[in-house]
Amino acid sequence: RAANISIPLTTGIYIHLGIAYALQESDTQKIREYIISIHNDYEQEAFKYGLGGVEGDNTSDVILEQKHLIGSLIWAFVRVFKDKLLDKYDIVSIEHEEDLVLGCSCGLESGPRKMHEERDCNGICLLAKPDMILRDKISKELVNIDLKTTKGFTYAWRKSFENSLQLCTQIAGA
């Protein structure tokens, strides 16, 4: 049986990859080709972890469904949001990893984790990876766009963002 993979998490990762690519690419044919390539990557990852091809099991159908969901959500983003976003904002970063060192003891205060490690720093490194950091073209304010996929939009799910460590690290990383 399947081990070490979460279908919802993996689906979300591939949606993020596709949107990040689409934001930086204007050629729709190249976006289409990229979606096909991530469909193939998604399927290979699912099979690698034993999620497909089990006789009498519906996992192959689920994989196919998720591949279509990935492509559909990327195209929906491109068709509905991309131009509006790019008309109003400049892209500062997309899916950029930022090391935040808390309690730096080496005097460096900021900079990549590796530099702190080389200085035997006792600080704690926190990885921030905001989905999108944009800058308003008029006000110049920074905007953090955090993409989320969910199987259900509930009150508890919405409330969870009030104390979200992930959201806090993304804002700090911006």
Side-chain angles (χ1 to χ4, degrees), residues 99-113 115-117 119-126:
D99 293 333
L100 304 171
V101 178
L102 308 175
C104 172
S105 65
C106 70
L108 192 59
E109 296 304 322
S110 64
R113 179 185 67 223
M115 291 175 66
H116 287 271
E117 289 171 350
R119 297 169 70 139
D120 294 321
C121 185
N122 291 320
I124 297 171
C125 184
L126 186 63

Side-chain angles (χ1 to χ4, degrees), residues 70-152:
I70 290 166
S72 298
L73 288 173
I74 294 167
W75 277 119
F77 179 86
V78 168
R79 301 285 189 211
V80 176
F81 297 110
K82 180 182 174 181
D83 289 342
K84 292 175 187 171
L85 225 63
L86 296 178
D87 285 346
K88 183 172 170 107
Y89 302 104
D90 290 319
I91 296 171
V92 175
S93 68
I94 299 173
E95 300 282 344
H96 175 74
E97 291 185 359
E98 183 76 32
D99 293 333
L100 304 171
V101 178
L102 308 175
C104 172
S105 65
C106 70
L108 192 59
E109 296 304 322
S110 64
R113 179 185 67 223
K114 186 174 174 87
M115 291 175 66
H116 287 271
E117 289 171 350
E118 290 169 355
R119 297 169 70 139
D120 294 321
C121 185
N122 291 320
I124 297 171
C125 184
L126 186 63
L127 175 67
K129 189 176 178 182
D131 296 339
M132 284 182 247
I133 301 296
L134 308 172
R135 180 173 285 114
D136 188 290
K137 290 181 178 183
I138 296 170
S139 72
K140 305 301 180 198
E141 290 179 322
L142 291 178
V143 176
N144 176 36
I145 305 288
D146 189 25
L147 302 171
K148 294 292 180 201
T149 55
T150 181
K151 66 179 180 179

Side-chain angles (χ1 to χ4, degrees), residues 32-80:
R32 186 172 286 112
E33 291 167 3
Y34 186 77
I35 290 171
I36 291 168
S37 78
I38 62 174
H39 276 176
N40 294 335
D41 294 346
Y42 179 87
E43 186 171 37
Q44 286 176 7
E45 185 169 356
F47 276 92
K48 175 179 154 186
Y49 289 99
L51 291 178
V54 179
E55 193 169 325
D57 199 344
N58 72 342
T59 53
S60 293
D61 293 338
V62 171
I63 292 168
L64 181 62
E65 175 185 278
Q66 294 302 299
K67 285 172 39 178
H68 288 298
L69 177 65
I70 290 166
S72 298
L73 288 173
I74 294 167
W75 277 119
F77 179 86
V78 168
R79 301 285 189 211
V80 176

